[in-house]
Structures are given as structure tokens and as C-alpha cells.
Amino acid sequence: MATDKPARVCTVIGGCGFLGRHMVEKLLASGYRVKVFDINRNDDTNDSITYYTGDICNKQDLLSSLQGSDIVFHHASPPAAANDESLFNKVNVEGTQCLIESCIESGVKRLVLTSSASVVYNGSDIKNGTEDLPYAHPPMDYYTQTKIIQEKLVLDANNTDESRGPVLMTVAIRPHGIFGPHDRQNIPVVLNAAKNGKMKFIIGDGKNIVDFTYVENVTHGHLLAAEALHEDSVVCGQAYNITNDEPLPF
Ligand code: NAD
């Protein structure tokens, strides 16, 4: 007799942010049970979600939100425009290390990181870039510097014990710009600049293109990556670029 499988449980770190909120919706719609961990809270709380307020750098804060979770999605970061070296180091490097240790302590087996396409951007145009591009050296800014370290930490944490099987299976997804409802960083900044008359100049010949991915496509990619994390999967310990079909003219 067929029986319903119990819903799998996910913890979404940074689940009150732009991408995190969409990830939560995607997971609920796909039949997952969802826990949200964030240093901030949104106004729009949902009764079917358990919320944990805490700092990713604090293991005690993290552990309760990870207990019983099958998959962790890690979206927490200061905004790229923050330009604060010590904050980026604290959250993206120390916080990610703390999250990895907490996942292992809690018995979480799958960790999906939102990295960034900027980890391979060294200032020269990239068209049809593939995952084998080297990390940027030097990185363009503090944000990128810590996203590179963060990605390496997560991919290096992919580990299988010969007798016990997978200790932690990890994957990183590298979007460039993300757009969609609740975006606070990209499109609103451009629109405000335009409204304030600060968009009067074109740099280059006006044919520059930049890669933006619709937020639902980004969450779809994260979910596919998470579901592909199993013992001996080629996805384990890998980074993947993500985009829409065609880059948008900018
Ligand atoms: P966001 O700022 O909307 O969300 C980040 C969330 O992390 C926020 O809710 C914030 O409160 C939380 N957070 C920050 N510091 C924390 C801490 N110490 N402990 C716990 N939570 C903390 O950002 P976003 O646009 O949703 O970005 C999500 C992820 O995607 C980030 O890792 C970012 O680097 C990556 N990314 C974003 C874009 C983009 O265009 N938005 C592009 C490439 C990569």
C-alpha cells in the first residue's frame, strides 16, 4: 500500500531577505516544511513557518533552527553595497564557518549556498562563462573577497566518511543580479537614481549587457540543486552558474 512520505524539513538562513522569502514560498509550494532563521524579521509572518531570530555567527542561535532539518539553504549576507570589510568577514566568512560546524553537529546532511557570479569577475567582460573560470584574483571588492572565501568553505566542507557515508553534501549556486518582487537592492536603486536625474550618461556604446535572473528561476535552481544532493551525486561539492535563457540588454 502506498503511504505518503513525511514532508522534508528545510531551514532557510536569511529567510526574511529578498531571495530567502521567495525560497520559502517555493519550498512550501513544493511540500516542504520550512524553518526561517534571520537576524531580522519581516512584517508578513506565515503560520506554517517556524521563525528563529538570531545571528549566523552564534552557534547557540543556529542549533535550535537546524535540529531535524534535512536541507539548509544559506542566503544570509550583508548587502553587496555595504562596503564594510569587517562586517563581510564576520557574516560571510565566520558566520558561514559557524553554520557548517552547526550543520555537522545537528546532523544536517545537505547545505545549499547562494554564492555570486562575482567570484569569477576580474574586470574583463565574460560572455557564456562556465564554472571552470578561476576565482577572481584580486577580487573586485570586499563583498566578492568574502563570497570567494565563503564558497570555498562550503564546497570544501563536502565530505563523506568511508564507513558512515555522507557527513555533509554541499553545492553553491552563483547568480549575478536577481530581480523580482521584494527586491531591495538592484532595480529600486536604478529607478531611484533615474527619478533623481542621475542616469543621464551612458558608459560605453550603449550596447553593454548584464546578466539578471528572475528570482523564481533562482529559487527553482536552488531546489533542483538541493534535490540532486545525494551520495555519489556529481553535484556534491560543485558550484553552478545560473541565469535566464538570454542576458537582458541594460
Ligand atoms: P537580502 O539582504 O535581501 O537578504 C539577506 C538576509 O540575510 C537578510 O534578511 C538579512 O537580515 C540576513 N542576514 C544578514 N546578516 C545576518 C546575520 N548575521 N545572521 C542572520 N541573518 C543575517 O539579500 P538577497 O538579495 O536576498 O541576497 C541573498 C543572497 O544572494 C546573498 O548571499 C547574496 O550575496 C546573494 N546574491 C544576491 C544577488 C542579488 O542580486 N540580490 C546576486 C548574487 C548573489
PDB file of all heavy atoms in Angstrom, residues 131-155:
ATOM      1  N   GLU A 131      31.695  27.269 -15.413  1.00  0.00           N
ATOM      2  CA  GLU A 131      32.054  27.129 -13.999  1.00  0.00           C
ATOM      3  C   GLU A 131      33.549  26.909 -13.796  1.00  0.00           C
ATOM      4  O   GLU A 131      34.035  26.979 -12.669  1.00  0.00           O
ATOM      5  CB  GLU A 131      31.277  25.972 -13.364  1.00  0.00           C
ATOM      6  CG  GLU A 131      29.818  26.265 -13.086  1.00  0.00           C
ATOM      7  CD  GLU A 131      28.928  26.119 -14.303  1.00  0.00           C
ATOM      8  OE1 GLU A 131      29.439  25.780 -15.396  1.00  0.00           O
ATOM      9  OE2 GLU A 131      27.717  26.356 -14.162  1.00  0.00           O
ATOM     10  N   ASP A 132      34.283  26.600 -14.875  1.00  0.00           N
ATOM     11  CA  ASP A 132      35.718  26.343 -14.675  1.00  0.00           C
ATOM     12  C   ASP A 132      36.569  27.622 -14.731  1.00  0.00           C
ATOM     13  O   ASP A 132      37.799  27.554 -14.652  1.00  0.00           O
ATOM     14  CB  ASP A 132      36.248  25.280 -15.648  1.00  0.00           C
ATOM     15  CG  ASP A 132      35.868  25.581 -17.080  1.00  0.00           C
ATOM     16  OD1 ASP A 132      35.356  26.694 -17.327  1.00  0.00           O
ATOM     17  OD2 ASP A 132      36.079  24.704 -17.938  1.00  0.00           O
ATOM     18  N   LEU A 133      35.912  28.794 -14.841  1.00  0.00           N
ATOM     19  CA  LEU A 133      36.692  30.039 -14.754  1.00  0.00           C
ATOM     20  C   LEU A 133      37.354  30.127 -13.383  1.00  0.00           C
ATOM     21  O   LEU A 133      36.748  29.738 -12.373  1.00  0.00           O
ATOM     22  CB  LEU A 133      35.770  31.253 -14.937  1.00  0.00           C
ATOM     23  CG  LEU A 133      35.270  31.521 -16.358  1.00  0.00           C
ATOM     24  CD1 LEU A 133      34.155  32.564 -16.333  1.00  0.00           C
ATOM     25  CD2 LEU A 133      36.416  31.984 -17.241  1.00  0.00           C
ATOM     26  N   PRO A 134      38.594  30.640 -13.310  1.00  0.00           N
ATOM     27  CA  PRO A 134      39.247  30.732 -11.989  1.00  0.00           C
ATOM     28  C   PRO A 134      38.601  31.825 -11.126  1.00  0.00           C
ATOM     29  O   PRO A 134      37.993  32.757 -11.653  1.00  0.00           O
ATOM     30  CB  PRO A 134      40.691  31.116 -12.350  1.00  0.00           C
ATOM     31  CG  PRO A 134      40.607  31.744 -13.694  1.00  0.00           C
ATOM     32  CD  PRO A 134      39.429  31.137 -14.404  1.00  0.00           C
ATOM     33  N   TYR A 135      38.769  31.691  -9.825  1.00  0.00           N
ATOM     34  CA  TYR A 135      38.298  32.759  -8.932  1.00  0.00           C
ATOM     35  C   TYR A 135      39.013  34.060  -9.271  1.00  0.00           C
ATOM     36  O   TYR A 135      40.189  34.053  -9.666  1.00  0.00           O
ATOM     37  CB  TYR A 135      38.581  32.394  -7.474  1.00  0.00           C
ATOM     38  CG  TYR A 135      37.674  31.323  -6.908  1.00  0.00           C
ATOM     39  CD1 TYR A 135      38.181  30.097  -6.504  1.00  0.00           C
ATOM     40  CD2 TYR A 135      36.309  31.558  -6.771  1.00  0.00           C
ATOM     41  CE1 TYR A 135      37.342  29.119  -5.975  1.00  0.00           C
ATOM     42  CE2 TYR A 135      35.469  30.581  -6.239  1.00  0.00           C
ATOM     43  CZ  TYR A 135      35.992  29.364  -5.854  1.00  0.00           C
ATOM     44  OH  TYR A 135      35.158  28.395  -5.329  1.00  0.00           O
ATOM     45  N   ALA A 136      38.318  35.184  -9.120  1.00  0.00           N
ATOM     46  CA  ALA A 136      38.899  36.495  -9.410  1.00  0.00           C
ATOM     47  C   ALA A 136      40.124  36.738  -8.526  1.00  0.00           C
ATOM     48  O   ALA A 136      40.081  36.480  -7.325  1.00  0.00           O
ATOM     49  CB  ALA A 136      37.855  37.577  -9.163  1.00  0.00           C
ATOM     50  N   HIS A 137      41.177  37.236  -9.139  1.00  0.00           N
ATOM     51  CA  HIS A 137      42.407  37.485  -8.379  1.00  0.00           C
ATOM     52  C   HIS A 137      43.072  38.756  -8.927  1.00  0.00           C
ATOM     53  O   HIS A 137      43.643  38.709  -9.997  1.00  0.00           O
ATOM     54  CB  HIS A 137      43.343  36.287  -8.503  1.00  0.00           C
ATOM     55  CG  HIS A 137      44.577  36.432  -7.657  1.00  0.00           C
ATOM     56  ND1 HIS A 137      44.533  36.355  -6.284  1.00  0.00           N
ATOM     57  CD2 HIS A 137      45.864  36.672  -7.995  1.00  0.00           C
ATOM     58  CE1 HIS A 137      45.756  36.535  -5.819  1.00  0.00           C
ATOM     59  NE2 HIS A 137      46.581  36.732  -6.830  1.00  0.00           N
ATOM     60  N   PRO A 138      42.982  39.905  -8.263  1.00  0.00           N
ATOM     61  CA  PRO A 138      42.304  40.094  -6.978  1.00  0.00           C
ATOM     62  C   PRO A 138      40.802  40.270  -7.176  1.00  0.00           C
ATOM     63  O   PRO A 138      40.371  40.672  -8.263  1.00  0.00           O
ATOM     64  CB  PRO A 138      42.923  41.398  -6.459  1.00  0.00           C
ATOM     65  CG  PRO A 138      43.234  42.175  -7.705  1.00  0.00           C
ATOM     66  CD  PRO A 138      43.600  41.160  -8.749  1.00  0.00           C
ATOM     67  N   PRO A 139      40.001  40.017  -6.103  1.00  0.00           N
ATOM     68  CA  PRO A 139      38.561  40.255  -6.202  1.00  0.00           C
ATOM     69  C   PRO A 139      38.279  41.747  -6.356  1.00  0.00           C
ATOM     70  O   PRO A 139      39.097  42.584  -5.976  1.00  0.00           O
ATOM     71  CB  PRO A 139      38.024  39.742  -4.860  1.00  0.00           C
ATOM     72  CG  PRO A 139      39.155  39.078  -4.179  1.00  0.00           C
ATOM     73  CD  PRO A 139      40.421  39.533  -4.789  1.00  0.00           C
ATOM     74  N   MET A 140      37.076  42.077  -6.900  1.00  0.00           N
ATOM     75  CA  MET A 140      36.750  43.479  -7.191  1.00  0.00           C
ATOM     76  C   MET A 140      36.506  44.300  -5.925  1.00  0.00           C
ATOM     77  O   MET A 140      36.716  45.503  -5.919  1.00  0.00           O
ATOM     78  CB  MET A 140      35.488  43.567  -8.060  1.00  0.00           C
ATOM     79  CG  MET A 140      35.640  42.943  -9.424  1.00  0.00           C
ATOM     80  SD  MET A 140      36.915  43.758 -10.410  1.00  0.00           S
ATOM     81  CE  MET A 140      36.066  45.240 -10.896  1.00  0.00           C
ATOM     82  N   ASP A 141      36.017  43.659  -4.850  1.00  0.00           N
ATOM     83  CA  ASP A 141      35.670  44.422  -3.635  1.00  0.00           C
ATOM     84  C   ASP A 141      35.614  43.472  -2.428  1.00  0.00           C
ATOM     85  O   ASP A 141      35.780  42.260  -2.578  1.00  0.00           O
ATOM     86  CB  ASP A 141      34.324  45.156  -3.821  1.00  0.00           C
ATOM     87  CG  ASP A 141      33.217  44.222  -4.310  1.00  0.00           C
ATOM     88  OD1 ASP A 141      33.338  42.995  -4.110  1.00  0.00           O
ATOM     89  OD2 ASP A 141      32.228  44.718  -4.885  1.00  0.00           O
ATOM     90  N   TYR A 142      35.355  44.028  -1.249  1.00  0.00           N
ATOM     91  CA  TYR A 142      35.313  43.213  -0.026  1.00  0.00           C
ATOM     92  C   TYR A 142      34.204  42.163  -0.098  1.00  0.00           C
ATOM     93  O   TYR A 142      34.368  41.040   0.383  1.00  0.00           O
ATOM     94  CB  TYR A 142      35.078  44.080   1.220  1.00  0.00           C
ATOM     95  CG  TYR A 142      36.161  45.093   1.473  1.00  0.00           C
ATOM     96  CD1 TYR A 142      35.845  46.399   1.807  1.00  0.00           C
ATOM     97  CD2 TYR A 142      37.504  44.731   1.397  1.00  0.00           C
ATOM     98  CE1 TYR A 142      36.832  47.333   2.050  1.00  0.00           C
ATOM     99  CE2 TYR A 142      38.495  45.665   1.630  1.00  0.00           C
ATOM    100  CZ  TYR A 142      38.148  46.968   1.952  1.00  0.00           C
ATOM    101  OH  TYR A 142      39.126  47.888   2.192  1.00  0.00           O
ATOM    102  N   TYR A 143      33.056  42.572  -0.638  1.00  0.00           N
ATOM    103  CA  TYR A 143      31.933  41.619  -0.763  1.00  0.00           C
ATOM    104  C   TYR A 143      32.407  40.378  -1.521  1.00  0.00           C
ATOM    105  O   TYR A 143      32.271  39.244  -1.041  1.00  0.00           O
ATOM    106  CB  TYR A 143      30.773  42.304  -1.490  1.00  0.00           C
ATOM    107  CG  TYR A 143      29.655  41.380  -1.948  1.00  0.00           C
ATOM    108  CD1 TYR A 143      28.724  40.868  -1.040  1.00  0.00           C
ATOM    109  CD2 TYR A 143      29.513  41.033  -3.299  1.00  0.00           C
ATOM    110  CE1 TYR A 143      27.698  40.031  -1.461  1.00  0.00           C
ATOM    111  CE2 TYR A 143      28.493  40.201  -3.721  1.00  0.00           C
ATOM    112  CZ  TYR A 143      27.589  39.712  -2.805  1.00  0.00           C
ATOM    113  OH  TYR A 143      26.571  38.876  -3.239  1.00  0.00           O
ATOM    114  N   THR A 144      33.000  40.602  -2.703  1.00  0.00           N
ATOM    115  CA  THR A 144      33.435  39.474  -3.539  1.00  0.00           C
ATOM    116  C   THR A 144      34.530  38.661  -2.850  1.00  0.00           C
ATOM    117  O   THR A 144      34.529  37.437  -2.907  1.00  0.00           O
ATOM    118  CB  THR A 144      33.951  40.002  -4.893  1.00  0.00           C
ATOM    119  OG1 THR A 144      32.947  40.847  -5.442  1.00  0.00           O
ATOM    120  CG2 THR A 144      34.242  38.877  -5.845  1.00  0.00           C
ATOM    121  N   GLN A 145      35.452  39.383  -2.211  1.00  0.00           N
ATOM    122  CA  GLN A 145      36.534  38.698  -1.488  1.00  0.00           C
ATOM    123  C   GLN A 145      35.958  37.671  -0.507  1.00  0.00           C
ATOM    124  O   GLN A 145      36.399  36.520  -0.444  1.00  0.00           O
ATOM    125  CB  GLN A 145      37.319  39.771  -0.735  1.00  0.00           C
ATOM    126  CG  GLN A 145      38.525  39.305   0.038  1.00  0.00           C
ATOM    127  CD  GLN A 145      39.216  40.525   0.661  1.00  0.00           C
ATOM    128  OE1 GLN A 145      39.618  41.462  -0.035  1.00  0.00           O
ATOM    129  NE2 GLN A 145      39.322  40.523   1.968  1.00  0.00           N
ATOM    130  N   THR A 146      34.917  38.089   0.225  1.00  0.00           N
ATOM    131  CA  THR A 146      34.359  37.170   1.237  1.00  0.00           C
ATOM    132  C   THR A 146      33.417  36.150   0.600  1.00  0.00           C
ATOM    133  O   THR A 146      33.257  35.055   1.143  1.00  0.00           O
ATOM    134  CB  THR A 146      33.656  37.937   2.367  1.00  0.00           C
ATOM    135  OG1 THR A 146      32.625  38.758   1.822  1.00  0.00           O
ATOM    136  CG2 THR A 146      34.645  38.775   3.148  1.00  0.00           C
ATOM    137  N   LYS A 147      32.788  36.480  -0.533  1.00  0.00           N
ATOM    138  CA  LYS A 147      31.957  35.471  -1.210  1.00  0.00           C
ATOM    139  C   LYS A 147      32.854  34.353  -1.759  1.00  0.00           C
ATOM    140  O   LYS A 147      32.446  33.194  -1.787  1.00  0.00           O
ATOM    141  CB  LYS A 147      31.120  36.098  -2.341  1.00  0.00           C
ATOM    142  CG  LYS A 147      30.008  37.028  -1.908  1.00  0.00           C
ATOM    143  CD  LYS A 147      28.934  36.409  -1.041  1.00  0.00           C
ATOM    144  CE  LYS A 147      27.888  35.618  -1.776  1.00  0.00           C
ATOM    145  NZ  LYS A 147      26.787  35.180  -0.865  1.00  0.00           N
ATOM    146  N   ILE A 148      34.071  34.677  -2.190  1.00  0.00           N
ATOM    147  CA  ILE A 148      35.003  33.635  -2.665  1.00  0.00           C
ATOM    148  C   ILE A 148      35.383  32.716  -1.496  1.00  0.00           C
ATOM    149  O   ILE A 148      35.315  31.487  -1.601  1.00  0.00           O
ATOM    150  CB  ILE A 148      36.273  34.259  -3.292  1.00  0.00           C
ATOM    151  CG1 ILE A 148      35.925  34.977  -4.598  1.00  0.00           C
ATOM    152  CG2 ILE A 148      37.346  33.193  -3.542  1.00  0.00           C
ATOM    153  CD1 ILE A 148      37.078  35.764  -5.216  1.00  0.00           C
ATOM    154  N   ILE A 149      35.785  33.328  -0.371  1.00  0.00           N
ATOM    155  CA  ILE A 149      36.189  32.510   0.786  1.00  0.00           C
ATOM    156  C   ILE A 149      35.001  31.649   1.239  1.00  0.00           C
ATOM    157  O   ILE A 149      35.143  30.457   1.535  1.00  0.00           O
ATOM    158  CB  ILE A 149      36.694  33.402   1.948  1.00  0.00           C
ATOM    159  CG1 ILE A 149      37.895  34.231   1.494  1.00  0.00           C
ATOM    160  CG2 ILE A 149      37.052  32.554   3.169  1.00  0.00           C
ATOM    161  CD1 ILE A 149      38.312  35.304   2.492  1.00  0.00           C
ATOM    162  N   GLN A 150      33.831  32.279   1.281  1.00  0.00           N
ATOM    163  CA  GLN A 150      32.618  31.577   1.716  1.00  0.00           C
ATOM    164  C   GLN A 150      32.330  30.370   0.820  1.00  0.00           C
ATOM    165  O   GLN A 150      32.050  29.265   1.301  1.00  0.00           O
ATOM    166  CB  GLN A 150      31.440  32.561   1.651  1.00  0.00           C
ATOM    167  CG  GLN A 150      30.097  31.967   1.957  1.00  0.00           C
ATOM    168  CD  GLN A 150      28.968  32.905   1.588  1.00  0.00           C
ATOM    169  OE1 GLN A 150      28.836  33.337   0.446  1.00  0.00           O
ATOM    170  NE2 GLN A 150      28.136  33.220   2.565  1.00  0.00           N
ATOM    171  N   GLU A 151      32.415  30.596  -0.505  1.00  0.00           N
ATOM    172  CA  GLU A 151      32.128  29.487  -1.437  1.00  0.00           C
ATOM    173  C   GLU A 151      33.128  28.345  -1.241  1.00  0.00           C
ATOM    174  O   GLU A 151      32.758  27.167  -1.207  1.00  0.00           O
ATOM    175  CB  GLU A 151      32.149  29.986  -2.889  1.00  0.00           C
ATOM    176  CG  GLU A 151      31.707  28.891  -3.842  1.00  0.00           C
ATOM    177  CD  GLU A 151      31.784  29.274  -5.310  1.00  0.00           C
ATOM    178  OE1 GLU A 151      30.912  30.022  -5.776  1.00  0.00           O
ATOM    179  OE2 GLU A 151      32.728  28.810  -6.008  1.00  0.00           O
ATOM    180  N   LYS A 152      34.414  28.709  -1.095  1.00  0.00           N
ATOM    181  CA  LYS A 152      35.428  27.662  -0.887  1.00  0.00           C
ATOM    182  C   LYS A 152      35.142  26.885   0.398  1.00  0.00           C
ATOM    183  O   LYS A 152      35.279  25.667   0.445  1.00  0.00           O
ATOM    184  CB  LYS A 152      36.830  28.278  -0.821  1.00  0.00           C
ATOM    185  CG  LYS A 152      37.343  28.769  -2.172  1.00  0.00           C
ATOM    186  CD  LYS A 152      38.738  29.347  -1.977  1.00  0.00           C
ATOM    187  CE  LYS A 152      39.364  29.836  -3.254  1.00  0.00           C
ATOM    188  NZ  LYS A 152      40.624  30.545  -3.036  1.00  0.00           N
ATOM    189  N   LEU A 153      34.787  27.604   1.471  1.00  0.00           N
ATOM    190  CA  LEU A 153      34.490  26.929   2.750  1.00  0.00           C
ATOM    191  C   LEU A 153      33.370  25.904   2.569  1.00  0.00           C
ATOM    192  O   LEU A 153      33.468  24.766   3.033  1.00  0.00           O
ATOM    193  CB  LEU A 153      34.043  27.956   3.812  1.00  0.00           C
ATOM    194  CG  LEU A 153      35.108  28.829   4.459  1.00  0.00           C
ATOM    195  CD1 LEU A 153      34.442  29.885   5.349  1.00  0.00           C
ATOM    196  CD2 LEU A 153      36.066  27.983   5.295  1.00  0.00           C
ATOM    197  N   VAL A 154      32.313  26.336   1.880  1.00  0.00           N
ATOM    198  CA  VAL A 154      31.150  25.450   1.720  1.00  0.00           C
ATOM    199  C   VAL A 154      31.497  24.261   0.826  1.00  0.00           C
ATOM    200  O   VAL A 154      31.173  23.111   1.153  1.00  0.00           O
ATOM    201  CB  VAL A 154      29.941  26.244   1.159  1.00  0.00           C
ATOM    202  CG1 VAL A 154      28.835  25.311   0.703  1.00  0.00           C
ATOM    203  CG2 VAL A 154      29.420  27.206   2.220  1.00  0.00           C
ATOM    204  N   LEU A 155      32.181  24.495  -0.287  1.00  0.00           N
ATOM    205  CA  LEU A 155      32.493  23.379  -1.197  1.00  0.00           C
ATOM    206  C   LEU A 155      33.500  22.422  -0.544  1.00  0.00           C
ATOM    207  O   LEU A 155      33.395  21.206  -0.701  1.00  0.00           O
ATOM    208  CB  LEU A 155      32.999  23.903  -2.543  1.00  0.00           C
ATOM    209  CG  LEU A 155      31.981  24.779  -3.304  1.00  0.00           C
ATOM    210  CD1 LEU A 155      32.531  25.191  -4.662  1.00  0.00           C
ATOM    211  CD2 LEU A 155      30.635  24.074  -3.476  1.00  0.00           C
TER     212      LEU A 155
END
